[in-house]
Every structure is written in structure tokens, then in C-alpha cells.
């Protein structure tokens, strides 16, 4: 039954809250994740990301508020929802004395899968290959590195060809090459229709792969927006020059800020500005439209909240 919410939201929460004593680990969060999103859920250590993910998966009960996953209430509908969701939350549990494929076979067996043995074996092999593990590797999981365990957890999440993947820090423990491989894999899965909701504190990583971001701070969702909207041009031009003073004097009022050798100027056409400055004998080392990085945007959002 494909009964994803009528409004196209794959995950939707209303005032979702989890309290531990006096601590509001998650505080009135309204998440909106649409079908086809790669949603990056950001926040510093302890900001409430894992607790939110656990509530979405029915592993932790909310203190108040509501969560809907694939259009159905969680945790009430978990029996219908969870078979359609792949998840990796915290370090993946595995039997250390068994190989990776034996672990996946056990998982499959508990999933009440009735498909023929050969088909199951092929699916296990595909899932292992997808995450860059060798299906023929007979070594027990206890000999795996942290990165290999993380890959095995991802393979387990992929076994059911889920509509939605909920992943807590999927690049945890991976080397830069592994991070890139997993990013490619997630983008491929997304291109074939899987919605992805992943938590991270790596802003550059999120900036490279997500369509939408949410930022948690102290349990509150302080920002939720399409990445494209956040990263659109600012209407400013950035100039780098060793002669910042003269440059500022020449341009005058449109200069918005000067920081060392970098000026930000309200202007439409970097090429014209460049020609003017060079004509006046100002050495221009770098000039171009200024876009803020996700890091700057998140820091600003966090600072804005501090000032409230
Ligand atoms: P990290 O990036 O470090 O994994 P996080 O954003 O996932 O952090 P959470 O693990 O959700 O954050 O924790 C949010 C807050 O709730 C933290 O202050 C944490 O100590 C607290 N917390 C989480 N689980 C419990 C629990 N079972 N009992 C008490 N406090 C808890």
C-alpha cells in the first residue's frame, strides 16, 4: 500500500517534543521532508538529532507532539511503516563472530522473507556490493574496521529496497574515499526514487548532497529550507585586493564590509566593477558574485537565536 501523505510529505512532525527530566532534548520540532528530498539534519553534538530520529522510528516515545512517517502516525503504525524504511541509527548491531553476509542473512530471515534462497543470496550480495563490501569475505565482523561496520549497517538498511532511508551520521568512521563512495551511493538511490533523511554535523558534506536542510540547536529547529534557496546569490560581489583602502575609497557607499583584503560590495556586474578597478590601477586578485556557504548561513542562524 503506497499511502504516502496526500501533501507529499514523507516525514512530518508537529510540535514533536522529548523531555528527559528538565532537559528538552527535542523541543516542539515541525519537520517537513518531501518525497524525493535528500534532507540534511544538522546540529552540534547533543542538539537532539539522534533523539528525533529515534522518535521517527518508534524507538523512543515522544513526551508530546506527533510524528508521521510515510503518511502514517508513529509509533502507532510502526508495523506498516518500518518494513518500508531502511535505517541506520547509532553503530549498527551485528553478531561479531559471523561474516557480513551471514549477518545480513540472519536479518533477512527475521524479516519473514519467503523468497527463494537464491534470490535472497543475490539480494545480500547486491547490498554488500552497493556499499563496497566483498560478498565473498568470510572474515567475522569482529575483525571489521569502524568504516566497514558502518558500511554493513548501510547494507542492512538497503536490503528491503526502502522508500525512505533514515540515517544517523552515515559517514561516521569512514575515510574521505569512503565518505565520497557513500555519498555517490546515496545520490544514486535518491535518483531512483528513495527519499533520504540523514543527520550530520559535517556542513560541507551536507552542502554537497542535500536538497533541503534542517538545523537543530538545543532541541529547537532554528532553520528549515531548500538548500537552493539558502545558497542563492546575495546580490553582493566579493573582491580580494591588497589595496583594500583605495578600493573602498573608489567604490564608496556600495561597500558593505571590509575584512582584511576582502571587500563585499553591493553590485550587479563583477566584470564591469573589475574593469573599473583595474582601470584605476587597483590590483584585483579575485572578484566574483558572493554566495554564502552553508557554514556561514548556519552560524548566522545560530547567532540570530542567541540575540533573541
Ligand atoms: P550527537 O551529534 O552527539 O550524536 P545529537 O544531536 O544526536 O548529538 P541526542 O543524542 O539526541 O543529540 O541528545 C540530545 C540531548 O538529550 C543530549 O543532551 C543528551 O545528553 C540527552 N539525552 C539523550 N538521550 C537521553 C536519555 N536516554 N536520558 C537522558 N538524556 C538523554
Amino acid at each position: 500500500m503506497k499511502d504516502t501523505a496526500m501533501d507529499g510529505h514523507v516525514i512530518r512532525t508537529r510540535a514533536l517534543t522529548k523531555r528527559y527530566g528538565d532537559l528538552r532534548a527535542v523541543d516542539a520540532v515541525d519537520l517537513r521532508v518531501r518525497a524525493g528530498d535528500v534532507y540534511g539534519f544538522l546540529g552540534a553534538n547533543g542538539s537532539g538529532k539522534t533523539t528525533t530520529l529515534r522518535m521517527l522510528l518508534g524507538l523512543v516515545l515522544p513526551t508530546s507532539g506527533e510524528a508521521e512517517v510515510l503518511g502514517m502516525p508513529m509509533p502507532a503504525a510502526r508495523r506498516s511503516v518500518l518494513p518500508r524504511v531502511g535505517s541506520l541509527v547509532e553503530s549498527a548491531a551485528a553478531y561479531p563472530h559471523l561474516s557480513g553476509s551471514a549477518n545480513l542473512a540472519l536479518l533477512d530471515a527475521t524479516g519473514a522473507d519467503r523468497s527463494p534462497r537464491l534470490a535472497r543470496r543475490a539480494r545480500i550480495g547486491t547490498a554488500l556490493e552497493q556499499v563496497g563490501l566483498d560478498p565473498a569475505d568470510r572474515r567475522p565482523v569482529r575483525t571489521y574496521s569502524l568504516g566497514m561496520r558502518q558500511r554493513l549497517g548501510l547494507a542492512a538498511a538497503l536490503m528491503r529496497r526502502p522508500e525512505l532511508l533514515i540515517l544517523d551520521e552515515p559517514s561516521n568512521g569512514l575515510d574521505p574515499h569512503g565518505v565520497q563512495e557513500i555519498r555517490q551511493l546515496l545520490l544514486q538511490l535518491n535518483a531512483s526514487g528513495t527519499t533520504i533523511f540523514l543527520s550530520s554535523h559535517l556542513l560541507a558534506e551536507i552542502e554537497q548532497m542535500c536538497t533541503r536542510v534542517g538545523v537543530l540547536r538545543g532541541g529547537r529547529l532554528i532553520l528549515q529550507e531548500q538548500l537552493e534557496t539558502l545558497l542563492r546569490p546575495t546580490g553582493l560581489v566579493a573582491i580580494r585586493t591588497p589595496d583594500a583602502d583605495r578600493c573602498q575609497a573608489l567604490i564608496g557607499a556600495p561597500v558593505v564590509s571590509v575584512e582584511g583584503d576582502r571587500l563585499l560590495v553591493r553590485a550587479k556586474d563583477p566584470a564591469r566593477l573589475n574593469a573599473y578597478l583595474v582601470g584605476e590601477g587597483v590590483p584585483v586578485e579575485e572578484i566574483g558574485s558572493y554566495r554564502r556557504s552553508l557554514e556561514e548561513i548556519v552560524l548566522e542562524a545560530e547567532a540570530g537565536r542567541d540575540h533573541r
Side-chain angles (χ1 to χ4, degrees):
M1 191 172 49
K2 306 261 168 182
D3 48 356
T4 300
M6 297 289 281
D7 57 6
H9 285 116
V10 167
I11 297 175
R12 194 158 118 139
T13 68
R14 287 183 212 89
L16 191 66
T17 300
K18 180 68 188 180
R19 267 198 231 145
Y20 291 110
D22 287 340
L23 175 77
R24 284 170 185 265
V26 177
D27 191 2
V29 164
D30 293 330
L31 284 176
R32 297 284 182 273
V33 182
R34 297 187 200 117
D37 276 347
V38 180
Y39 188 112
F41 196 37
L42 293 162
N45 291 137
S47 55
K49 302 181 299 294
T50 303
T51 306
T52 306
L53 263 61
R54 293 177 74 94
M55 285 194 279
L56 294 175
L57 292 165
L59 298 168
V60 161
L61 290 179
T63 309
S64 59
E66 290 162 28
E68 259 176 32
V69 177
L70 300 171
M72 289 177 271
M74 286 297 281
R78 65 180 175 278
R79 276 167 192 266
S80 317
V81 171
L82 293 183
R84 294 164 56 191
V85 178
S87 66
L88 177 62
V89 177
E90 278 149 24
S91 44
Y95 292 103
H97 59 291
L98 297 177
S99 70
S101 35
N103 265 286
L104 293 189
L106 269 181
L107 253 184
D108 224 20
T110 55
D113 186 344
R114 302 259 177 270
S115 55
R117 229 172 114 194
L118 263 179
R120 273 170 48 189
R121 187 167 294 180
R123 212 166 56 240
I124 290 170
T126 308
L128 288 168
E129 274 168 8
Q130 272 183 306
V131 300
L133 289 177
D134 178 5
D137 191 346
R138 295 273 156 251
R139 285 177 302 165
V141 167
R142 87 172 106 77
T143 67
Y144 278 22
S145 66
L146 178 59
M148 288 172 77
R149 282 166 203 254
Q150 194 72 354
R151 286 166 193 257
L152 183 61
L154 257 180
L158 293 176
M159 285 283 288
R160 292 172 180 168
R161 302 205 183 110
E163 289 160 60
L164 169 66
L165 273 175
I166 297 183
L167 307 171
D168 197 10
E169 307 267 0
S171 17
N172 196 14
L174 298 176
D175 57 31
H177 181 64
V179 170
Q180 195 185 27
E181 266 179 28
I182 296 303
R183 182 170 65 232
Q184 294 305 337
L185 168 66
L186 295 180
L187 287 173
Q188 263 172 32
L189 290 166
N190 179 250
S192 61
T194 310
T195 303
I196 298 174
F197 182 76
L198 79 159
S199 78
S200 181
H201 51 257
L202 303 175
L203 291 162
E205 173 70 4
I206 294 292
E207 189 167 347
Q208 281 184 63
M209 67 179 297
C210 290
T211 54
R212 188 166 168 79
V213 296
V215 181
L216 268 192
R217 181 163 194 264
R220 311 266 323 189
L221 191 66
I222 56 167
L223 181 71
Q224 178 171 241
E225 189 54 90
Q226 295 299 113
L227 191 65
E228 202 180 67
T229 309
L230 289 175
L231 298 182
R232 72 182 156 209
T234 52
L236 300 177
V237 170
I239 305 168
R240 206 171 280 285
T241 169
D243 206 349
D245 289 345
R246 181 128 187 282
C247 186
Q248 182 177 19
L250 281 168
I251 296 172
V255 174
V256 174
S257 69
V258 183
E259 229 173 85
D261 64 351
R262 195 184 79 161
L263 294 91
L264 287 181
V265 178
R266 194 158 295 287
K268 287 200 177 89
D269 188 347
R272 239 178 96 191
L273 194 54
N274 187 41
Y276 168 65
L277 291 171
V278 171
E280 292 293 330
V282 174
V284 176
E285 288 176 349
E286 227 178 274
I287 189 163
S289 295
Y290 172 62
R291 287 172 195 263
R292 290 180 309 163
S293 68
L294 186 57
E295 185 175 18
E296 287 168 302
I297 291 164
V298 168
L299 289 174
E300 253 171 52
E302 294 188 334
R305 195 158 178 83
D306 278 340
H307 294 152
R308 244 175 249 169

